Amino acid sequence: MIKKIFKTTSPTLTIACRELKSHFDSLSAYILLVLFLGFSGIFTWIYGSDVFFYGQASLQAFFSTAYVTLFLLIPALTMRTIADEMRGGTIEMLLTKPVTRWQIVGGKYLSVMLLIIIALALTLPYYVTVACLGNIDHGAVLCGYFGLLLMSSAYAGIGLFASSICGNPIVSFLISLAIGLLFHIGFGIVGHQFGGIGGQVAICFDMNSHFDSMARGVIDSKDIVYFASVTFAGLFAAEKTLESKTA
Amino acid sequence: MDIIVKNLTKFYGQQKAVDNLSFEVKAGEILGFLGPNGAGKTTTMKAIAGFLTPTSGSINIGRYNVSDNPEMVKQMIGYLPEHNPLYTDMNVIDYLRYMAQLQRIRASKINDRILEMVNVCGFEGEKHKRISELSKGYRQRVGLAQALIHDPQVLILDEPTTGLDPNQIVEIRELIRKIGREKTIILSSHILAEVEATCDRILIINKGHIVADGTADQLRKASSGCECLRITVEDANRNDVVRALQSLDTVELVDTVADKADSFEVQSRPGESSRRAVFRACVENGWVLTELSPVETKLEDIFRELTKQ
């Protein structure tokens, strides 16, 4: 059993490691980290409704800026993942190795998530600083980070799907931004404009409502199910698109 | 390990790329795959390598079916795709390591295999370069190294010598010959001389069908039913020679050679040889016969004849 699990995960890990390495080799990882830390740092500490504006020892300000920053940066991370393999023909190399399409999609997803975990880990000094400034709710912070991870995972799934649609990274970027925008504000607007069952359903798809409760420190199983299903739907669609392109 | 392709058919939308193709390759055999552009060579090779799913038909490698046991089959196959796609942002060693890991070579053996591939394929001086800095010939070698790294039983090489200089072509050919002693190899090429030099058997396909299958000699025999001689006669009148030769019983047709006044091409009737008769005719007329040689049908001619339609 363990051997079997190891066998199926090892190509995924191999692919994830290579992807992560290529992100760092091509500078794209550094640029993204700088942008992420820069934006979230400015809006958490210096400008707008920052920590001092709230006057509370909480990371609310950081979570809301990180939420927007990641929304914009994740499509940039995922746009090349599958699109480049298709355009360069290297997908043929991968698929003629004993590797399944799921392992390829999984490996790419994992590499994006690892990079986001690195980015979030680098914001731990924010947490330490705020904890020194006052009495911080440790549970809420943990919960907020967890929420950011879940939300990133959902966008990573969407981004991978967008990347699998066509061989052009810029088009992939725009598609994933468009789908992301739908989840980010589209469903919310529709839901609040129209009442009734349709509106209710739209609200269910709205990412804000699911994220806000987590950022406040409430973990609800329905939020986790929501993020997990968006992620899975994205990865599933990516795998299917890959299958239709290579069959 | 044997490769058995049965009734392979592949449609791209409405277009039929491969039409009910069946053939076998025995273990240890090197099969040359010939055909004009768009004949279905690459499609067939992609299907054997498990990249394309055939519309119908089955492919077996050893005991395993490609569509039922893709993972088992892919571990036994080394595949060099047509355009040799590589990760150009990686360096050679990293790339080979990545491919070795994906082929599930044990971690302790990976370094040895990489070193061996560097030696066998000969890019010792290039091994620390980025792939984007390599010339086409070296890229091709890296592609070949990648296909060989897990010591596969079966090798599928789609135009392995494109972009190589003549020296490299000879080297790669020798390499394929050497490896081919214990492995089953299918290779496709446009260069007919190359296929003749490296392959045990030749398969010519056209429009998705097999049009010829056999060794180079067998193909020659099958296509040239009649003996064809090239002769040179000196000290004679051109017209007399043609008349005399044409009157022989075994001769079907006499042709003059365009740029040589003394040379003729003599085609015999099916199943007959006119060598002796030609010699006697010359002796009787007192002509000096300075050349009498059989004309071998070139593989190019066979190829053109079979794939013309």
Side-chain angles (χ1 to χ4, degrees):
Chain A
M1 183 69 191
I2 289 169
K3 214 173 171 186
K4 200 176 175 198
I5 290 173
F6 179 74
K7 254 194 158 174
T8 52
T9 53
S10 69
T12 316
L13 279 179
T14 309
I15 293 172
C17 287
R18 188 206 92 83
E19 288 289 312
L20 195 64
K21 202 163 167 290
S22 96
H23 278 307
F24 279 99
D25 282 347
S26 67
L27 286 183
S28 66
Y30 298 102
I31 295 169
L32 278 158
L33 287 177
V34 167
L35 280 178
F36 173 70
L37 293 175
F39 271 112
S40 61
I42 287 172
F43 288 102
T44 309
W45 298 104
I46 303 172
Y47 185 78
S49 48
D50 55 21
V51 169
F52 306 106
F53 177 83
Y54 277 114
Q56 280 176 349
S58 89
L59 279 177
Q60 265 311 321
F62 164 66
F63 290 138
S64 46
T65 46
Y67 179 62
V68 179
T69 324
L70 285 175
F71 161 71
L72 292 170
L73 291 183
I74 289 172
L77 261 183
T78 55
M79 66 178 184
R80 288 179 52 220
T81 49
I82 300 175
D84 264 11
E85 303 263 7
M86 303 259 230
R87 197 168 50 163
T90 42
I91 192 78
E92 191 173 350
M93 245 1 158
L94 282 183
L95 283 174
T96 47
K97 300 277 174 285
V99 176
T100 63
R101 280 181 290 265
W102 267 114
Q103 286 165 342
I104 295 173
V105 173
K108 308 240 167 207
Y109 165 77
L110 204 61
S111 76
V112 173
M113 289 312 288
L114 283 173
L115 194 54
I116 288 164
I117 288 171
I118 292 172
L120 290 178
L122 289 173
T123 66
L124 283 179
Y126 299 180
Y127 168 53
V128 175
T129 313
V130 174
C132 291
L133 290 175
N135 219 344
I136 196 167
D137 182 350
H138 297 288
V141 171
L142 210 66
C143 193
Y145 271 113
F146 186 54
L148 279 180
L149 266 184
L150 284 178
M151 156 277 177
S152 305
S153 142
Y155 282 133
I158 293 170
L160 282 171
F161 165 61
S163 185
S164 72
I165 293 176
C166 75
N168 186 332
I170 301 296
V171 176
S172 303
F173 176 76
L174 293 176
I175 291 174
S176 79
L177 214 55
I179 302 175
L181 217 54
L182 200 65
F183 282 94
H184 205 72
I185 50 175
F187 285 122
I189 292 172
V190 173
H192 290 296
Q193 288 291 324
F194 305 101
I197 294 176
Q200 294 275 321
V201 172
I203 294 252
C204 283
F205 281 105
D206 180 35
M207 203 165 286
N208 274 318
S209 57
H210 291 281
F211 179 73
D212 280 348
S213 58
M214 296 202 90
R216 268 184 274 111
V218 186
I219 293 186
D220 194 333
S221 58
K222 93 169 180 257
D223 297 330
I224 297 179
V225 169
Y226 168 80
F227 286 115
S229 359
V230 174
T231 309
F232 181 75
L235 297 183
F236 183 77
E239 199 265 347
K240 285 293 158 213
T241 325
L242 205 55
E243 184 180 351
S244 74
K245 296 243 159 143
T246 54
Chain B
M1 211 149 309
D2 291 8
I3 304 171
I4 301 164
V5 176
K6 250 191 216 146
N7 304 93
L8 180 74
T9 302
K10 174 74 190 173
F11 277 95
Y12 288 117
Q14 286 293 312
Q15 201 191 357
K16 206 181 235 181
V18 176
D19 189 4
N20 211 11
L21 205 66
S22 301
F23 63 90
E24 271 182 45
V25 193
K26 295 259 160 19
E29 198 172 28
I30 305 181
L31 179 78
F33 223 38
L34 287 178
N37 291 322
K41 288 172 296 188
T42 299
T43 306
T44 310
M45 294 179 119
K46 280 183 178 176
I48 297 172
F51 179 61
L52 284 179
T53 325
T55 313
S56 66
S58 73
I59 301 164
N60 278 297
I61 296 193
R63 290 183 291 124
Y64 301 99
N65 186 289
V66 173
S67 35
D68 297 341
N69 281 307
E71 302 232 342
M72 275 310 288
V73 168
K74 284 171 188 176
Q75 283 185 45
M76 299 186 298
I77 291 185
Y79 175 53
L80 174 66
E82 190 180 14
H83 299 295
N84 189 21
L86 300 166
Y87 292 100
T88 46
D89 56 337
M90 294 177 96
N91 82 35
V92 175
I93 296 282
D94 283 350
Y95 175 73
L96 290 180
R97 185 181 308 281
Y98 182 45
M99 289 294 138
Q101 284 168 341
L102 287 180
Q103 281 294 0
R104 302 185 188 166
I105 299 173
R106 252 187 292 143
S108 54
K109 281 192 177 167
I110 286 181
N111 281 335
D112 294 344
R113 285 304 298 167
I114 293 175
L115 281 180
E116 196 180 333
M117 284 305 111
V118 168
N119 283 331
V120 169
C121 299
F123 42 86
E124 179 65 36
E126 263 65 25
K127 64 182 175 186
H128 292 299
K129 282 189 183 167
R130 271 178 155 220
I131 291 176
S132 56
E133 293 165 9
L134 297 182
S135 68
K136 181 137 196 233
Y138 279 111
R139 284 187 198 204
Q140 202 66 20
R141 286 168 192 235
V142 174
L144 205 59
Q146 160 284 129
L148 288 171
I149 195 143
H150 55 300
D151 197 19
Q153 292 295 304
V154 174
L155 264 179
I156 314 276
L157 308 172
D158 202 346
E159 303 193 10
T161 54
T162 43
L164 301 180
D165 65 41
N167 295 334
Q168 292 170 331
I169 288 181
V170 171
E171 281 172 36
I172 296 279
R173 249 185 234 167
E174 272 166 16
L175 179 64
I176 291 172
R177 271 254 162 237
K178 198 170 80 192
I179 309 163
R181 276 183 215 130
E182 59 235 64
K183 296 186 198 310
T184 314
I185 302 183
I186 298 185
L187 77 91
S188 77
S189 177
H190 282 302
I191 309 163
L192 295 150
E194 169 175 296
V195 171
E196 202 177 354
T198 26
C199 300
D200 303 320
R201 213 175 104 207
I202 297 172
L203 199 69
I204 303 181
I205 64 172
N206 188 30
K207 293 180 180 160
H209 294 281
I210 294 178
V211 288
D213 180 1
T215 62
D217 288 339
Q218 283 171 344
L219 293 190
R220 273 204 195 93
K221 243 173 228 154
S223 84
S224 62
C226 316
E227 182 197 58
C228 188
L229 299 172
R230 187 190 176 95
I231 61 174
T232 306
V233 181
E234 286 173 16
D235 302 342
N237 182 295
R238 215 172 137 111
N239 291 333
D240 292 345
V241 175
V242 173
R243 217 172 301 129
L245 291 178
Q246 193 72 70
S247 65
L248 296 172
D249 291 340
T250 54
V251 172
E252 170 93 37
L253 193 75
V254 180
D255 231 350
T256 49
V257 176
D259 47 348
K260 276 185 174 169
D262 298 339
S263 293
F264 306 89
E265 275 191 356
V266 178
Q267 199 182 332
S268 311
R269 291 179 201 278
E272 308 237 29
S273 172
S274 32
R275 268 176 282 188
R276 300 174 74 92
V278 167
F279 176 74
R280 264 191 223 112
C282 290
V283 172
E284 276 167 23
N285 292 294
W287 298 328
V288 180
L289 182 66
T290 52
E291 186 194 355
L292 175 68
S293 54
V295 178
E296 265 205 341
T297 325
K298 276 185 270 165
L299 211 50
E300 271 89 353
D301 296 331
I302 302 171
F303 179 82
R304 222 171 296 136
E305 195 178 303
L306 288 169
T307 56
K308 226 172 7 196
Q309 313 90 20

PDB file of all heavy atoms in Angstrom, chain A residues 160-173:
ATOM      1  N   LEU A 160      -4.517  26.646 -13.611  1.00  0.00           N
ATOM      2  CA  LEU A 160      -4.012  25.482 -14.350  1.00  0.00           C
ATOM      3  C   LEU A 160      -4.960  25.111 -15.480  1.00  0.00           C
ATOM      4  O   LEU A 160      -4.531  24.764 -16.584  1.00  0.00           O
ATOM      5  CB  LEU A 160      -3.826  24.296 -13.406  1.00  0.00           C
ATOM      6  CG  LEU A 160      -2.563  24.371 -12.564  1.00  0.00           C
ATOM      7  CD1 LEU A 160      -2.571  23.286 -11.506  1.00  0.00           C
ATOM      8  CD2 LEU A 160      -1.341  24.223 -13.437  1.00  0.00           C
ATOM      9  N   PHE A 161      -6.253  25.218 -15.182  1.00  0.00           N
ATOM     10  CA  PHE A 161      -7.223  24.931 -16.246  1.00  0.00           C
ATOM     11  C   PHE A 161      -7.035  25.910 -17.397  1.00  0.00           C
ATOM     12  O   PHE A 161      -6.949  25.517 -18.569  1.00  0.00           O
ATOM     13  CB  PHE A 161      -8.651  25.010 -15.687  1.00  0.00           C
ATOM     14  CG  PHE A 161      -9.703  25.091 -16.751  1.00  0.00           C
ATOM     15  CD1 PHE A 161      -9.846  24.068 -17.677  1.00  0.00           C
ATOM     16  CD2 PHE A 161     -10.553  26.201 -16.840  1.00  0.00           C
ATOM     17  CE1 PHE A 161     -10.807  24.144 -18.675  1.00  0.00           C
ATOM     18  CE2 PHE A 161     -11.507  26.285 -17.833  1.00  0.00           C
ATOM     19  CZ  PHE A 161     -11.634  25.258 -18.761  1.00  0.00           C
ATOM     20  N   ALA A 162      -6.917  27.200 -17.054  1.00  0.00           N
ATOM     21  CA  ALA A 162      -6.744  28.222 -18.097  1.00  0.00           C
ATOM     22  C   ALA A 162      -5.474  27.958 -18.897  1.00  0.00           C
ATOM     23  O   ALA A 162      -5.439  28.134 -20.113  1.00  0.00           O
ATOM     24  CB  ALA A 162      -6.695  29.610 -17.467  1.00  0.00           C
ATOM     25  N   SER A 163      -4.436  27.501 -18.208  1.00  0.00           N
ATOM     26  CA  SER A 163      -3.162  27.245 -18.875  1.00  0.00           C
ATOM     27  C   SER A 163      -3.248  26.052 -19.827  1.00  0.00           C
ATOM     28  O   SER A 163      -2.513  25.975 -20.807  1.00  0.00           O
ATOM     29  CB  SER A 163      -2.084  26.998 -17.829  1.00  0.00           C
ATOM     30  OG  SER A 163      -0.840  26.852 -18.428  1.00  0.00           O
ATOM     31  N   SER A 164      -4.175  25.135 -19.517  1.00  0.00           N
ATOM     32  CA  SER A 164      -4.276  23.945 -20.367  1.00  0.00           C
ATOM     33  C   SER A 164      -5.091  24.213 -21.632  1.00  0.00           C
ATOM     34  O   SER A 164      -5.042  23.444 -22.578  1.00  0.00           O
ATOM     35  CB  SER A 164      -4.913  22.789 -19.583  1.00  0.00           C
ATOM     36  OG  SER A 164      -6.286  23.054 -19.389  1.00  0.00           O
ATOM     37  N   ILE A 165      -5.833  25.338 -21.638  1.00  0.00           N
ATOM     38  CA  ILE A 165      -6.724  25.584 -22.775  1.00  0.00           C
ATOM     39  C   ILE A 165      -5.961  25.913 -24.042  1.00  0.00           C
ATOM     40  O   ILE A 165      -6.248  25.391 -25.110  1.00  0.00           O
ATOM     41  CB  ILE A 165      -7.709  26.735 -22.453  1.00  0.00           C
ATOM     42  CG1 ILE A 165      -8.656  26.287 -21.356  1.00  0.00           C
ATOM     43  CG2 ILE A 165      -8.509  27.115 -23.690  1.00  0.00           C
ATOM     44  CD1 ILE A 165      -9.590  27.361 -20.903  1.00  0.00           C
ATOM     45  N   CYS A 166      -4.966  26.783 -23.941  1.00  0.00           N
ATOM     46  CA  CYS A 166      -4.253  27.123 -25.165  1.00  0.00           C
ATOM     47  C   CYS A 166      -2.769  27.271 -24.909  1.00  0.00           C
ATOM     48  O   CYS A 166      -2.334  27.360 -23.769  1.00  0.00           O
ATOM     49  CB  CYS A 166      -4.818  28.392 -25.798  1.00  0.00           C
ATOM     50  SG  CYS A 166      -4.331  29.850 -24.915  1.00  0.00           S
ATOM     51  N   GLY A 167      -2.004  27.286 -25.991  1.00  0.00           N
ATOM     52  CA  GLY A 167      -0.557  27.308 -25.871  1.00  0.00           C
ATOM     53  C   GLY A 167       0.029  28.686 -25.626  1.00  0.00           C
ATOM     54  O   GLY A 167       1.234  28.835 -25.534  1.00  0.00           O
ATOM     55  N   ASN A 168      -0.819  29.700 -25.529  1.00  0.00           N
ATOM     56  CA  ASN A 168      -0.308  31.060 -25.363  1.00  0.00           C
ATOM     57  C   ASN A 168      -0.451  31.514 -23.913  1.00  0.00           C
ATOM     58  O   ASN A 168      -1.555  31.660 -23.406  1.00  0.00           O
ATOM     59  CB  ASN A 168      -1.096  31.990 -26.292  1.00  0.00           C
ATOM     60  CG  ASN A 168      -0.539  33.389 -26.281  1.00  0.00           C
ATOM     61  OD1 ASN A 168       0.036  33.835 -25.300  1.00  0.00           O
ATOM     62  ND2 ASN A 168      -0.718  34.092 -27.384  1.00  0.00           N
ATOM     63  N   PRO A 169       0.672  31.758 -23.221  1.00  0.00           N
ATOM     64  CA  PRO A 169       0.610  32.100 -21.794  1.00  0.00           C
ATOM     65  C   PRO A 169      -0.199  33.363 -21.507  1.00  0.00           C
ATOM     66  O   PRO A 169      -0.896  33.420 -20.493  1.00  0.00           O
ATOM     67  CB  PRO A 169       2.075  32.305 -21.408  1.00  0.00           C
ATOM     68  CG  PRO A 169       2.874  31.662 -22.457  1.00  0.00           C
ATOM     69  CD  PRO A 169       2.052  31.669 -23.706  1.00  0.00           C
ATOM     70  N   ILE A 170      -0.108  34.361 -22.385  1.00  0.00           N
ATOM     71  CA  ILE A 170      -0.825  35.615 -22.121  1.00  0.00           C
ATOM     72  C   ILE A 170      -2.336  35.372 -22.157  1.00  0.00           C
ATOM     73  O   ILE A 170      -3.084  35.843 -21.302  1.00  0.00           O
ATOM     74  CB  ILE A 170      -0.449  36.695 -23.166  1.00  0.00           C
ATOM     75  CG1 ILE A 170       1.063  36.958 -23.138  1.00  0.00           C
ATOM     76  CG2 ILE A 170      -1.208  37.972 -22.922  1.00  0.00           C
ATOM     77  CD1 ILE A 170       1.579  37.530 -21.851  1.00  0.00           C
ATOM     78  N   VAL A 171      -2.769  34.588 -23.152  1.00  0.00           N
ATOM     79  CA  VAL A 171      -4.192  34.262 -23.226  1.00  0.00           C
ATOM     80  C   VAL A 171      -4.607  33.477 -21.980  1.00  0.00           C
ATOM     81  O   VAL A 171      -5.654  33.732 -21.388  1.00  0.00           O
ATOM     82  CB  VAL A 171      -4.493  33.473 -24.516  1.00  0.00           C
ATOM     83  CG1 VAL A 171      -5.950  33.059 -24.550  1.00  0.00           C
ATOM     84  CG2 VAL A 171      -4.168  34.310 -25.736  1.00  0.00           C
ATOM     85  N   SER A 172      -3.752  32.543 -21.561  1.00  0.00           N
ATOM     86  CA  SER A 172      -4.041  31.784 -20.344  1.00  0.00           C
ATOM     87  C   SER A 172      -4.191  32.714 -19.146  1.00  0.00           C
ATOM     88  O   SER A 172      -5.104  32.553 -18.332  1.00  0.00           O
ATOM     89  CB  SER A 172      -2.920  30.799 -20.038  1.00  0.00           C
ATOM     90  OG  SER A 172      -2.727  29.946 -21.097  1.00  0.00           O
ATOM     91  N   PHE A 173      -3.282  33.687 -19.058  1.00  0.00           N
ATOM     92  CA  PHE A 173      -3.320  34.639 -17.951  1.00  0.00           C
ATOM     93  C   PHE A 173      -4.657  35.370 -17.942  1.00  0.00           C
ATOM     94  O   PHE A 173      -5.330  35.462 -16.916  1.00  0.00           O
ATOM     95  CB  PHE A 173      -2.171  35.633 -18.089  1.00  0.00           C
ATOM     96  CG  PHE A 173      -2.168  36.725 -17.065  1.00  0.00           C
ATOM     97  CD1 PHE A 173      -1.756  36.471 -15.770  1.00  0.00           C
ATOM     98  CD2 PHE A 173      -2.580  38.002 -17.392  1.00  0.00           C
ATOM     99  CE1 PHE A 173      -1.747  37.474 -14.817  1.00  0.00           C
ATOM    100  CE2 PHE A 173      -2.587  39.016 -16.450  1.00  0.00           C
ATOM    101  CZ  PHE A 173      -2.168  38.750 -15.158  1.00  0.00           C
TER     102      PHE A 173
END
